[in-house]
Amino acid sequence: MKGGENITKKIKILYMVSNLKRCGPINILYNLTKYIDKEIYEIFIVSLSKECENTRKEEFESLGCKTYNLNLKKINAIFSSKKLILNIIKENNIDIIHSHGIRADLINTKLRKYKTVSTLHNYPFEDYKMCYGKIKGFLIAKFHISILKKINKVFACSKSVKEMLSYKNINFDYVQNGVDYEVFTISKDEEKYEIRKELNLPQNKKIYIVVGEISYGKNVSTIINCFNNRKNNNEILLIIGNGKLYSRSIALSKDNENILFKGKVDNVDKYLKASDYYISASLSEGLPNSVLEAMSTGIPCILSKIKPHEEIINNHNQLFISKDINNLSETINHVINEDYQYLKKESRLTIENNLSAKNMAINYELKYRALF
């Protein structure tokens, strides 16, 4: 029992989210609910909006979580949900309400007589600007920060995000995201061969993989332009995911047969195991789940020089200037000349020792206990 000697009854936690679709924050929540100590904590989840086809609702329920879906439209989720959620809180004698996302955070501010908690999964003043434009993004970020000030305890998903917001008058703490290394495992050479065969990928080329939304903030165009310039027939750039810039990215790489787009897939772990290196040119992150998954699979990462990436990677020779195509190419050349087995081992050990889902759950448990 992890520090629970004085607990006489289970602590009941209600997690509040927009919906349970498969995405970074929900994957983190899944890892947390998977590894949190069920002898001490009982888990309830409220999703505000209608669930989509890509929902993880049944997966959460298989972990023993009791789920509620309010099936509200976005505006109604803000103005009509308080009474519904209060009924759930009272019915189940909830101890802690933990919100994820701006809508859930806004509702959580109306429940302050309870122990209210939030996790911030991004740096709003960068992320929202890239999503909504400079002015609108700034206003939404400012609004989100004002909401968080009304919640009892706010956790950033990384030390970097906490530090970047240290000038704001918020009682901020942080718990680093963690990945499930029992799911994302290292592949042996023979397994990599078989997976490449199954996925119809070339056997004898270096495969660099990019995973995630193809958007301005993810800056995939820098990686595409870099590989267009490299013109190395022994290298494959594999892009997993879709987004607003998907068609534009395909057009950008139309003359390069060594850049492969696979769209959104449900077997990311296999594509990671088939790959040799992971690249992210993101302009802003919280603590990126896709990078953690790649490292858990034992893939050396080449990452843009932003604070959350620096928090993950100790080897600064694997970092490059975000929009600098030449610097990215130089970094790739440097990394591929290093000891691959050493980098592979270091990637995996970083996850096992510091950034695992188990560690994240233990850290959240300690923070929850401190609320009492």
Side-chain angles (χ1 to χ4, degrees), residues 235-276:
E235 296 178 337
I236 295 292
L237 177 61
L238 184 61
I239 299 176
I240 307 295
N242 55 24
K244 293 180 180 179
L245 300 183
Y246 185 77
S247 297
R248 187 184 300 181
S249 297
I250 291 177
L252 188 63
S253 61
K254 65 179 181 179
D255 296 324
N256 193 336
E257 61 183 15
N258 291 322
I259 299 179
L260 307 178
F261 289 82
K262 296 296 180 179
K264 199 173 183 69
V265 302
D266 57 7
N267 56 345
V268 171
D269 57 325
K270 282 195 172 182
Y271 280 97
L272 288 172
K273 287 183 177 182
S275 303
D276 299 300

CSV table of all heavy atoms in Angstrom, one decimal, residues 235-276:
chain,number,residue,atom,x,y,z
A,235,GLU,N,17.1,6.6,-46.9
A,235,GLU,CA,16.3,7.1,-45.7
A,235,GLU,C,14.8,7.2,-46.1
A,235,GLU,O,14.5,7.6,-47.2
A,235,GLU,CB,16.8,8.5,-45.3
A,235,GLU,CG,18.2,8.5,-44.7
A,235,GLU,CD,18.7,9.8,-44.3
A,235,GLU,OE1,18.1,10.8,-44.8
A,235,GLU,OE2,19.6,9.9,-43.5
A,236,ILE,N,14.0,6.8,-45.2
A,236,ILE,CA,12.5,6.9,-45.3
A,236,ILE,C,12.0,7.8,-44.2
A,236,ILE,O,12.4,7.6,-43.0
A,236,ILE,CB,11.8,5.5,-45.2
A,236,ILE,CG1,12.3,4.6,-46.4
A,236,ILE,CG2,10.3,5.6,-45.2
A,236,ILE,CD1,11.7,5.1,-47.8
A,237,LEU,N,11.1,8.7,-44.6
A,237,LEU,CA,10.4,9.5,-43.6
A,237,LEU,C,9.0,9.0,-43.5
A,237,LEU,O,8.3,9.1,-44.5
A,237,LEU,CB,10.5,11.0,-43.9
A,237,LEU,CG,9.7,11.9,-43.0
A,237,LEU,CD1,10.3,11.9,-41.5
A,237,LEU,CD2,9.7,13.4,-43.5
A,238,LEU,N,8.6,8.5,-42.4
A,238,LEU,CA,7.3,7.9,-42.2
A,238,LEU,C,6.4,8.9,-41.3
A,238,LEU,O,6.8,9.2,-40.2
A,238,LEU,CB,7.5,6.6,-41.5
A,238,LEU,CG,6.2,5.7,-41.2
A,238,LEU,CD1,5.6,5.3,-42.6
A,238,LEU,CD2,6.7,4.4,-40.5
A,239,ILE,N,5.3,9.3,-41.8
A,239,ILE,CA,4.5,10.3,-41.1
A,239,ILE,C,3.2,9.7,-40.8
A,239,ILE,O,2.4,9.3,-41.6
A,239,ILE,CB,4.3,11.6,-42.0
A,239,ILE,CG1,5.7,12.2,-42.3
A,239,ILE,CG2,3.4,12.6,-41.3
A,239,ILE,CD1,5.6,13.5,-43.2
A,240,ILE,N,2.9,9.6,-39.4
A,240,ILE,CA,1.7,9.0,-38.9
A,240,ILE,C,0.8,10.1,-38.3
A,240,ILE,O,1.3,10.8,-37.5
A,240,ILE,CB,2.0,7.9,-37.8
A,240,ILE,CG1,3.0,6.9,-38.3
A,240,ILE,CG2,0.8,7.3,-37.3
A,240,ILE,CD1,2.6,6.0,-39.4
A,241,GLY,N,-0.4,10.1,-38.7
A,241,GLY,CA,-1.4,11.1,-38.2
A,241,GLY,C,-2.0,11.9,-39.3
A,241,GLY,O,-1.7,11.8,-40.5
A,242,ASN,N,-3.0,12.8,-38.9
A,242,ASN,CA,-3.6,13.7,-39.9
A,242,ASN,C,-3.8,15.0,-39.2
A,242,ASN,O,-3.3,15.3,-38.1
A,242,ASN,CB,-4.9,13.1,-40.4
A,242,ASN,CG,-5.9,12.7,-39.3
A,242,ASN,OD1,-5.8,13.3,-38.2
A,242,ASN,ND2,-6.8,11.8,-39.6
A,243,GLY,N,-4.5,15.9,-39.9
A,243,GLY,CA,-4.7,17.2,-39.3
A,243,GLY,C,-5.0,18.2,-40.4
A,243,GLY,O,-5.1,17.9,-41.6
A,244,LYS,N,-5.1,19.5,-40.1
A,244,LYS,CA,-5.5,20.6,-41.0
A,244,LYS,C,-4.4,20.7,-42.1
A,244,LYS,O,-4.8,21.1,-43.3
A,244,LYS,CB,-5.6,21.9,-40.3
A,244,LYS,CG,-6.7,22.0,-39.3
A,244,LYS,CD,-6.7,23.3,-38.6
A,244,LYS,CE,-7.9,23.4,-37.6
A,244,LYS,NZ,-8.0,24.7,-36.9
A,245,LEU,N,-3.2,20.4,-41.9
A,245,LEU,CA,-2.2,20.6,-42.9
A,245,LEU,C,-1.8,19.3,-43.6
A,245,LEU,O,-0.7,19.2,-44.2
A,245,LEU,CB,-0.9,21.2,-42.3
A,245,LEU,CG,-1.1,22.6,-41.6
A,245,LEU,CD1,0.2,23.2,-41.1
A,245,LEU,CD2,-1.7,23.6,-42.6
A,246,TYR,N,-2.6,18.3,-43.5
A,246,TYR,CA,-2.3,17.0,-44.1
A,246,TYR,C,-2.1,17.1,-45.6
A,246,TYR,O,-1.1,16.6,-46.1
A,246,TYR,CB,-3.4,16.0,-43.7
A,246,TYR,CG,-3.2,14.6,-44.2
A,246,TYR,CD1,-2.3,13.7,-43.4
A,246,TYR,CD2,-3.8,14.0,-45.3
A,246,TYR,CE1,-2.0,12.4,-43.8
A,246,TYR,CE2,-3.5,12.7,-45.7
A,246,TYR,CZ,-2.7,11.9,-45.0
A,246,TYR,OH,-2.4,10.6,-45.3
A,247,SER,N,-3.1,17.6,-46.3
A,247,SER,CA,-3.1,17.7,-47.7
A,247,SER,C,-1.9,18.6,-48.2
A,247,SER,O,-1.2,18.3,-49.2
A,247,SER,CB,-4.4,18.3,-48.3
A,247,SER,OG,-5.5,17.4,-48.0
A,248,ARG,N,-1.7,19.7,-47.5
A,248,ARG,CA,-0.6,20.6,-47.8
A,248,ARG,C,0.8,19.9,-47.7
A,248,ARG,O,1.7,20.1,-48.5
A,248,ARG,CB,-0.6,21.8,-47.0
A,248,ARG,CG,0.4,22.9,-47.4
A,248,ARG,CD,0.3,24.1,-46.5
A,248,ARG,NE,-1.0,24.8,-46.4
A,248,ARG,CZ,-1.3,25.8,-45.7
A,248,ARG,NH1,-0.3,26.4,-44.9
A,248,ARG,NH2,-2.5,26.3,-45.7
A,249,SER,N,0.8,19.0,-46.7
A,249,SER,CA,2.1,18.3,-46.4
A,249,SER,C,2.4,17.3,-47.5
A,249,SER,O,3.5,17.1,-47.9
A,249,SER,CB,2.1,17.7,-45.0
A,249,SER,OG,1.9,18.6,-44.0
A,250,ILE,N,1.3,16.6,-47.9
A,250,ILE,CA,1.5,15.7,-49.0
A,250,ILE,C,1.9,16.4,-50.3
A,250,ILE,O,2.9,15.9,-51.0
A,250,ILE,CB,0.1,14.9,-49.3
A,250,ILE,CG1,-0.2,14.0,-48.1
A,250,ILE,CG2,0.2,14.1,-50.6
A,250,ILE,CD1,-1.5,13.2,-48.2
A,251,ALA,N,1.3,17.5,-50.5
A,251,ALA,CA,1.8,18.3,-51.7
A,251,ALA,C,3.2,18.8,-51.6
A,251,ALA,O,3.9,18.8,-52.6
A,251,ALA,CB,0.8,19.5,-51.9
A,252,LEU,N,3.6,19.1,-50.4
A,252,LEU,CA,5.0,19.6,-50.2
A,252,LEU,C,6.0,18.5,-50.5
A,252,LEU,O,7.2,18.7,-50.9
A,252,LEU,CB,5.1,20.0,-48.7
A,252,LEU,CG,6.4,20.7,-48.3
A,252,LEU,CD1,6.6,22.0,-49.1
A,252,LEU,CD2,6.4,21.0,-46.8
A,253,SER,N,5.6,17.2,-50.3
A,253,SER,CA,6.5,16.1,-50.5
A,253,SER,C,6.2,15.3,-51.7
A,253,SER,O,6.7,14.1,-51.9
A,253,SER,CB,6.4,15.2,-49.3
A,253,SER,OG,5.1,14.7,-49.1
A,254,LYS,N,5.4,15.8,-52.7
A,254,LYS,CA,4.9,15.0,-53.8
A,254,LYS,C,6.1,14.5,-54.7
A,254,LYS,O,5.9,13.5,-55.4
A,254,LYS,CB,4.0,15.9,-54.6
A,254,LYS,CG,4.6,17.1,-55.3
A,254,LYS,CD,3.6,17.8,-56.1
A,254,LYS,CE,4.2,19.0,-56.9
A,254,LYS,NZ,3.2,19.8,-57.7
A,255,ASP,N,7.2,15.1,-54.7
A,255,ASP,CA,8.3,14.7,-55.6
A,255,ASP,C,9.3,13.8,-54.9
A,255,ASP,O,10.3,13.4,-55.4
A,255,ASP,CB,9.0,15.9,-56.2
A,255,ASP,CG,8.2,16.7,-57.1
A,255,ASP,OD1,7.3,16.1,-57.8
A,255,ASP,OD2,8.3,18.0,-57.1
A,256,ASN,N,8.9,13.4,-53.6
A,256,ASN,CA,9.9,12.6,-52.8
A,256,ASN,C,9.2,11.3,-52.5
A,256,ASN,O,8.4,11.2,-51.6
A,256,ASN,CB,10.3,13.4,-51.5
A,256,ASN,CG,11.4,12.7,-50.8
A,256,ASN,OD1,11.7,11.5,-51.0
A,256,ASN,ND2,12.1,13.5,-50.0
A,257,GLU,N,9.6,10.2,-53.2
A,257,GLU,CA,9.0,8.9,-52.9
A,257,GLU,C,9.4,8.3,-51.6
A,257,GLU,O,8.9,7.2,-51.2
A,257,GLU,CB,9.3,8.0,-54.1
A,257,GLU,CG,10.8,7.7,-54.3
A,257,GLU,CD,11.0,6.9,-55.5
A,257,GLU,OE1,10.1,6.7,-56.4
A,257,GLU,OE2,12.2,6.4,-55.7
A,258,ASN,N,10.4,8.9,-51.0
A,258,ASN,CA,10.9,8.3,-49.7
A,258,ASN,C,10.2,8.9,-48.5
A,258,ASN,O,10.6,8.7,-47.4
A,258,ASN,CB,12.4,8.6,-49.6
A,258,ASN,CG,13.2,7.7,-50.6
A,258,ASN,OD1,12.9,6.6,-50.8
A,258,ASN,ND2,14.2,8.3,-51.1
A,259,ILE,N,9.2,9.8,-48.7
A,259,ILE,CA,8.3,10.3,-47.7
A,259,ILE,C,7.0,9.6,-47.8
A,259,ILE,O,6.3,9.7,-48.8
A,259,ILE,CB,8.2,11.8,-47.7
A,259,ILE,CG1,9.5,12.5,-47.6
A,259,ILE,CG2,7.2,12.3,-46.6
A,259,ILE,CD1,9.5,14.0,-47.7
A,260,LEU,N,6.6,8.8,-46.7
A,260,LEU,CA,5.4,8.0,-46.7
A,260,LEU,C,4.4,8.6,-45.7
A,260,LEU,O,4.7,8.8,-44.5
A,260,LEU,CB,5.7,6.6,-46.4
A,260,LEU,CG,6.8,5.9,-47.3
A,260,LEU,CD1,7.0,4.5,-46.8
A,260,LEU,CD2,6.4,5.9,-48.7
A,261,PHE,N,3.2,8.8,-46.1
A,261,PHE,CA,2.1,9.2,-45.2
A,261,PHE,C,1.1,8.0,-45.0
A,261,PHE,O,0.7,7.4,-45.9
A,261,PHE,CB,1.3,10.4,-45.9
A,261,PHE,CG,2.0,11.7,-45.9
A,261,PHE,CD1,2.9,11.9,-46.9
A,261,PHE,CD2,1.8,12.6,-45.0
A,261,PHE,CE1,3.6,13.1,-47.0
A,261,PHE,CE2,2.5,13.8,-45.0
A,261,PHE,CZ,3.4,14.1,-46.0
A,262,LYS,N,0.9,7.7,-43.7
A,262,LYS,CA,0.0,6.6,-43.3
A,262,LYS,C,-1.3,7.1,-42.7
A,262,LYS,O,-2.2,6.2,-42.4
A,262,LYS,CB,0.7,5.7,-42.4
A,262,LYS,CG,2.0,5.0,-43.0
A,262,LYS,CD,1.6,4.1,-44.1
A,262,LYS,CE,2.8,3.4,-44.8
A,262,LYS,NZ,2.4,2.5,-45.9
A,263,GLY,N,-1.5,8.4,-42.5
A,263,GLY,CA,-2.7,8.9,-41.9
A,263,GLY,C,-2.8,8.4,-40.4
A,263,GLY,O,-1.8,8.1,-39.8
A,264,LYS,N,-4.0,8.4,-39.9
A,264,LYS,CA,-4.3,8.1,-38.5
A,264,LYS,C,-4.4,6.5,-38.5
A,264,LYS,O,-5.1,5.9,-39.2
A,264,LYS,CB,-5.6,8.7,-38.0
A,264,LYS,CG,-5.7,8.7,-36.5
A,264,LYS,CD,-6.9,9.5,-36.1
A,264,LYS,CE,-7.1,9.7,-34.6
A,264,LYS,NZ,-6.0,10.6,-34.1
A,265,VAL,N,-3.6,5.9,-37.6
A,265,VAL,CA,-3.6,4.5,-37.5
A,265,VAL,C,-3.9,4.1,-36.0
A,265,VAL,O,-3.8,4.9,-35.1
A,265,VAL,CB,-2.2,3.9,-37.9
A,265,VAL,CG1,-1.9,4.3,-39.3
A,265,VAL,CG2,-1.1,4.3,-36.9
A,266,ASP,N,-4.3,2.8,-35.8
A,266,ASP,CA,-4.6,2.3,-34.5
A,266,ASP,C,-3.6,1.4,-34.0
A,266,ASP,O,-3.7,0.7,-32.9
A,266,ASP,CB,-6.0,1.7,-34.4
A,266,ASP,CG,-6.1,0.5,-35.4
A,266,ASP,OD1,-5.1,0.1,-36.0
A,266,ASP,OD2,-7.3,0.0,-35.6
A,267,ASN,N,-2.4,1.3,-34.7
A,267,ASN,CA,-1.3,0.5,-34.2
A,267,ASN,C,0.0,1.2,-34.3
A,267,ASN,O,1.0,0.8,-34.9
A,267,ASN,CB,-1.2,-0.8,-35.1
A,267,ASN,CG,-1.1,-0.5,-36.6
A,267,ASN,OD1,-1.4,0.7,-37.0
A,267,ASN,ND2,-0.7,-1.5,-37.4
A,268,VAL,N,0.0,2.4,-33.6
A,268,VAL,CA,1.2,3.2,-33.6
A,268,VAL,C,2.4,2.5,-33.0
A,268,VAL,O,3.5,2.6,-33.5
A,268,VAL,CB,0.9,4.5,-32.7
A,268,VAL,CG1,2.2,5.3,-32.5
A,268,VAL,CG2,-0.1,5.4,-33.4
A,269,ASP,N,2.1,1.6,-32.0
A,269,ASP,CA,3.2,0.9,-31.4
A,269,ASP,C,4.0,0.0,-32.5
A,269,ASP,O,5.2,-0.1,-32.4
A,269,ASP,CB,2.7,0.0,-30.3
A,269,ASP,CG,1.6,-1.0,-30.7
A,269,ASP,OD1,0.8,-0.7,-31.6
A,269,ASP,OD2,1.6,-2.1,-30.2
A,270,LYS,N,3.3,-0.5,-33.4
A,270,LYS,CA,4.0,-1.3,-34.5
A,270,LYS,C,4.8,-0.5,-35.4
A,270,LYS,O,5.9,-0.8,-35.7
A,270,LYS,CB,2.9,-2.1,-35.3
A,270,LYS,CG,2.4,-3.4,-34.6
A,270,LYS,CD,1.7,-4.3,-35.6
A,270,LYS,CE,1.3,-5.6,-34.9
A,270,LYS,NZ,0.7,-6.5,-35.8
A,271,TYR,N,4.3,0.7,-35.7
A,271,TYR,CA,5.1,1.6,-36.6
A,271,TYR,C,6.3,2.1,-35.9
A,271,TYR,O,7.4,2.3,-36.5
A,271,TYR,CB,4.2,2.8,-37.1
A,271,TYR,CG,3.3,2.4,-38.2
A,271,TYR,CD1,2.0,2.0,-38.0
A,271,TYR,CD2,3.8,2.4,-39.5
A,271,TYR,CE1,1.2,1.7,-39.1
A,271,TYR,CE2,3.0,2.0,-40.6
A,271,TYR,CZ,1.7,1.7,-40.4
A,271,TYR,OH,0.9,1.3,-41.4
A,272,LEU,N,6.2,2.3,-34.6
A,272,LEU,CA,7.4,2.7,-33.8
A,272,LEU,C,8.4,1.6,-33.8
A,272,LEU,O,9.6,1.8,-33.9
A,272,LEU,CB,6.9,3.1,-32.3
A,272,LEU,CG,6.2,4.4,-32.2
A,272,LEU,CD1,5.7,4.5,-30.7
A,272,LEU,CD2,7.1,5.6,-32.5
A,273,LYS,N,7.9,0.4,-33.5
A,273,LYS,CA,8.9,-0.8,-33.5
A,273,LYS,C,9.5,-1.0,-34.8
A,273,LYS,O,10.6,-1.6,-34.9
A,273,LYS,CB,8.1,-2.0,-33.1
A,273,LYS,CG,7.8,-2.0,-31.6
A,273,LYS,CD,7.1,-3.3,-31.2
A,273,LYS,CE,6.9,-3.4,-29.7
A,273,LYS,NZ,6.3,-4.7,-29.3
A,274,ALA,N,8.9,-0.6,-35.9
A,274,ALA,CA,9.5,-0.7,-37.3
A,274,ALA,C,10.5,0.3,-37.6
A,274,ALA,O,11.2,0.2,-38.6
A,274,ALA,CB,8.4,-0.7,-38.3
A,275,SER,N,10.6,1.4,-36.8
A,275,SER,CA,11.4,2.6,-37.1
A,275,SER,C,12.7,2.6,-36.4
A,275,SER,O,12.9,1.9,-35.4
A,275,SER,CB,10.6,3.8,-36.8
A,275,SER,OG,9.3,3.9,-37.5
A,276,ASP,N,13.6,3.4,-36.9
A,276,ASP,CA,14.9,3.6,-36.3
A,276,ASP,C,15.1,4.8,-35.4
A,276,ASP,O,15.8,4.8,-34.4
A,276,ASP,CB,16.0,3.6,-37.4
A,276,ASP,CG,16.0,2.3,-38.2
A,276,ASP,OD1,16.2,1.2,-37.6
A,276,ASP,OD2,15.7,2.3,-39.4
